[in-house]
Amino acid sequence: MEEYQNGSEGSFSSEEAESIVKEGIDGVLGGDDYSQNHVNKWTATIVERCLTQLVKLGKPYKYIVTCSVMQKTGAGLHTANSCYWDTSLDGSCTVRWENRTMYCVVSVFAVAIA
Amino acid sequence: MADLVKDKPQKHEKKVEKLPTDGTRSKEKAGRAKDPAITAPGVDEQGDDQGTAGMMENTYQLGPSGQFPVSAVSNILKEEITNTLQEEKYEAQRCQDLTLTLCEGIRNRVKELLIPRYKTVVLVHIGQLNGQGMQISSRCLWDPSCDTFTSYSFKNTSVFCSGTVYGVYFE
């Protein structure tokens, strides 16, 4: 798997995960500018929020949530993921978000239990 | 104990039946020779990459037979990243391709370790060094006794790279 995609119904819903993640990011980064002092707290809050919301879905999955926040200085960034799992049950979702001073990329991986 | 005795004759059976795939079969057996209890009689779960969640018999195994080999995977990560990026300068298109190749390369090498019952997720970030600040964090909801991760970061004069491999146990 090179980019996020999983459309199989009855398993992992990437649309649901996407909306959960977007809410999480907006709630934390909202109107702020990049700040070295706060970024640690921000990333921690974003992943925790996303994780708790995902758990509330009550599905039999283990979750991995990753968040990267990068300051905008004109530098380039590439991210890729590759997964060895059961494609019918497991899935992932990646959300890219930006504002005036920073980029934020959040990835959610859901791995089925049993 | 009874399990082991029961499984052994059936293992021999399987080798004879599945002649076309004999190459892979014997490789797998070599990897799992220490643990015959894993093999479900008559059904093979490991060789099926597509992962059809079809009919499988009980193996009565409650946990992983061995721990996820964190040090081996760390070394793979370190080697792949260092060898690929040692002399690279940042170029947008090239780094985009490198990210994907690196990801697939790491995943394939981890697959070769044939760790039974573990799913893996590999995440790679490659970026340009431009004096910017960056934070990457992750949180996981899993079973900490079986599941684990390892990561490695690399930097040269124009490029930085951060790679992470997560290993998740699957019953």
Side-chain angles (χ1 to χ4, degrees):
Chain A
M1 298 183 73
E2 290 158 17
E3 285 194 83
Y4 68 96
Q5 64 205 35
N6 186 335
S8 44
E9 33 286 89
S11 51
F12 177 65
S13 158
S14 47
E15 293 85 21
E16 232 178 333
E18 198 175 322
S19 59
I20 288 177
V21 169
K22 283 207 174 109
E23 271 176 63
I25 303 178
D26 286 328
V28 177
L29 296 181
D32 294 320
D33 285 345
Y34 183 86
S35 155
Q36 187 62 34
N37 302 330
H38 294 114
V39 69
N40 203 350
K41 202 174 42 152
W42 287 337
T43 48
T45 319
I46 291 174
V47 285
E48 270 168 48
R49 262 194 212 185
C50 293
L51 206 46
T52 38
Q53 290 300 106
L54 285 166
V55 165
K56 283 185 189 167
L57 295 175
K59 296 199 176 157
Y61 282 97
K62 291 179 177 175
Y63 296 102
I64 297 170
V65 181
T66 308
C67 170
S68 317
V69 173
M70 188 171 90
Q71 188 179 15
K72 269 190 180 177
T73 57
L77 173 70
H78 300 276
T79 307
N81 64 70
S82 177
C83 310
Y84 176 55
W85 58 24
D86 182 340
T87 47
S88 59
L89 297 172
D90 307 323
S92 69
C93 160
T94 308
V95 174
R96 282 162 281 269
W97 181 98
E98 66 179 279
N99 73 4
R100 204 177 49 90
T101 51
M102 54 186 167
Y103 295 107
C104 177
V105 182
V106 176
S107 297
V108 175
F109 300 94
V111 180
I113 302 178
Chain B
M1 272 316 172
D3 259 359
L4 288 171
V5 174
K6 209 175 43 170
D7 275 354
K8 273 192 177 140
Q10 274 146 346
K11 241 175 42 171
H12 290 302
E13 237 180 64
K14 268 176 49 179
K15 248 188 184 163
V16 171
E17 281 171 14
K18 301 192 178 177
L19 280 172
T21 52
D22 212 60
T24 37
R25 200 67 62 226
S26 44
K27 203 167 61 166
E28 283 176 31
K29 289 288 185 295
R32 293 187 286 153
K34 297 176 212 142
D35 220 332
I38 297 176
T39 318
V43 178
D44 183 31
E45 311 164 33
Q46 198 68 16
D48 195 350
D49 269 10
Q50 268 60 38
T52 45
M55 306 307 286
M56 286 190 221
E57 292 198 26
N58 268 324
T59 58
Y60 302 102
Q61 191 181 348
L62 297 174
S65 53
Q67 287 303 319
F68 190 74
V70 184
S71 44
V73 175
S74 293
N75 286 337
I76 291 178
L77 203 48
K78 218 178 290 188
E79 280 171 25
E80 286 286 310
I81 294 180
T82 322
N83 294 342
T84 316
L85 295 177
Q86 192 61 53
E87 299 298 326
E88 290 295 328
K89 288 207 101 45
Y90 182 82
E91 279 163 29
Q93 191 52 48
R94 176 146 173 73
C95 282
Q96 189 172 3
D97 299 330
L98 271 180
T99 324
L100 283 171
T101 339
L102 198 50
C103 227
E104 304 262 299
I106 295 171
R107 185 197 60 181
N108 292 337
R109 281 190 66 179
V110 174
K111 261 171 80 170
E112 278 169 27
L113 294 178
L114 287 180
I115 310 156
R117 293 183 167 208
Y118 269 90
K119 295 180 177 176
T120 57
V121 176
V122 180
L123 198 54
V124 171
H125 302 261
I126 295 185
Q128 185 181 16
L129 280 178
N130 209 0
Q132 79 272 29
M134 178 159 194
Q135 181 85 15
I136 302 178
S137 55
S138 80
R139 212 47 120 246
C140 311
L141 179 75
W142 59 23
D143 181 353
S145 59
C146 325
D147 305 325
T148 183
F149 76 99
T150 173
S151 72
Y152 180 69
S153 2
F154 167 84
K155 195 168 73 159
N156 72 11
T157 45
S158 67
V159 150
F160 72 88
C161 173
S162 161
T164 315
V165 179
Y166 301 90
V168 180
Y169 176 69
F170 176 71
E171 278 180 32

